[in-house]
Amino acid sequence: MSQIIDTNNLPKHIAITMDGNGRWAESKGKLRIFGHKNGVKAVRETVESAAKIGIEFLTLYAFSTENWDRPVSEINALMALLVSAINKETKTLMKNNIKLCTIGATDNLPSKARNELLEAVAKTKGNTRMTLILALSYSGRWEILNATKKIIADCINPNTITEQTFQQYLTTKNVPDPALLIRTSGEYRISNFLLWQIAYSELYFTDTLWPDFKKEDLEKAILDYQSRERRFG
């Protein structure tokens, strides 16, 4: 990179919609799962790069509630890949002092995937360098509806509900809102991701398909963020 990242002006929290695995695989005459497997490599490089740069929170949109509508064969392959990736990458997270968390309806995941996930979360809970958040079986609308149901169940007086009250019922209640949202693959959509939290996020879109997303792409997005004048309101 010809420009140097200003470490005093980093986005505290970056969220990424990892899009383009299927198209990447199809462009090479391969099945979609081939793209997902190579997408794991991009995850590893992005997570390690973000930690080295000094990002405090990184959220990756790994599996949406809408993804359950995909063919059963693809879902099964994705769940198997999730288990395999967690097994392999937990050591990397420990080596890099990275804490793993999840958001979403993870109870809907197959028991093997859910158990592997819980084990990795437990193993890494003491790590302090960066927090990696996987959005699994997640969508922004699901989260808002889920928070609303909990507020109703707690019989909260509607007249006392503020933005801060509502935020405490979100799955990200202990996480700052993303300062930067990145979406790969050339699509210009939010796709039901962190709808409440990205109200004032800077949006960055790149044509790069997720398996091709490298450290340089992350740095380019951060430099673009640092070139902007952030406004709230």
Side-chain angles (χ1 to χ4, degrees):
M1 301 293 291
S2 59
Q3 293 175 273
I4 298 175
I5 291 175
D6 180 2
T7 55
N8 294 313
N9 183 28
L10 292 173
K12 189 171 186 177
H13 181 184
I14 295 177
I16 305 179
T17 300
M18 307 178 293
D19 194 23
N21 288 342
R23 275 170 285 165
W24 185 88
E26 289 165 4
S27 71
K28 299 179 182 303
K30 302 286 187 178
L31 296 175
R32 290 176 61 86
I33 192 61
F34 180 73
H36 296 310
K37 288 179 179 178
N38 281 273
V40 172
K41 298 176 184 177
V43 168
R44 183 187 306 117
E45 181 167 346
T46 300
V47 170
E48 290 184 332
S49 298
K52 288 177 182 177
I53 290 169
I55 304 303
E56 295 183 40
F57 296 89
L58 176 66
T59 299
L60 302 179
Y61 202 4
F63 192 87
S64 73
T65 53
E66 289 86 355
N67 287 157
W68 290 114
D69 295 329
R70 292 184 177 185
V72 174
S73 59
E74 184 177 355
I75 291 174
N76 289 340
L78 280 169
M79 291 300 115
L81 180 60
L82 175 62
V83 170
S84 173
I86 292 170
N87 277 329
K88 291 178 181 177
E89 301 305 326
T90 300
K91 289 181 180 179
T92 303
L93 295 177
M94 293 302 295
K95 182 182 72 174
N96 288 282
N97 193 21
I98 296 171
K99 177 181 179 180
L100 177 66
C101 296
T102 64
I103 57 174
T106 52
D107 286 345
N108 293 336
L109 298 174
S111 58
K112 189 172 183 179
R114 187 171 63 252
N115 290 338
E116 291 288 345
L117 198 59
L118 289 172
E119 188 175 332
V121 168
K123 281 183 178 179
T124 63
K125 67 179 181 180
N127 294 343
T128 58
R129 186 182 187 186
M130 185 179 80
T131 299
L132 169 63
I133 304 164
L134 295 183
L136 290 160
S137 191
Y138 173 89
S139 75
R141 288 181 176 179
W142 165 84
E143 183 178 30
I144 291 170
L145 283 172
N146 190 55
T148 303
K149 290 175 183 178
K150 288 182 177 179
I151 289 173
I152 293 171
D154 283 350
C155 300
I156 304 295
N157 182 342
N159 295 322
T160 67
I161 298 174
T162 64
E163 286 189 15
Q164 289 70 32
T165 305
F166 193 83
Q167 191 165 0
Q168 289 306 302
Y169 283 86
L170 296 174
T171 57
T172 57
K173 63 181 180 180
N174 297 317
V175 178
D177 291 341
L180 174 62
L181 172 66
I182 300 170
R183 180 169 185 145
T184 61
S185 88
E187 299 292 346
Y188 293 82
R189 296 190 303 273
I190 301 303
S191 293
N192 211 351
F193 186 35
L194 299 173
L195 296 179
W196 176 277
Q197 296 88 342
I198 64 170
Y200 291 105
S201 299
E202 298 296 326
L203 308 182
Y204 179 86
F205 301 96
T206 174
D207 290 336
T208 303
L209 300 176
W210 179 249
D212 290 327
F213 195 84
K214 307 297 182 187
K215 173 186 177 183
E216 294 74 20
D217 297 290
L218 177 64
E219 291 175 345
K220 186 177 179 181
I222 294 173
L223 285 168
D224 183 85
Y225 165 87
Q226 294 183 339
S227 72
R228 305 181 189 185
E229 179 184 350
R230 300 200 72 199
R231 295 189 178 91
F232 301 86

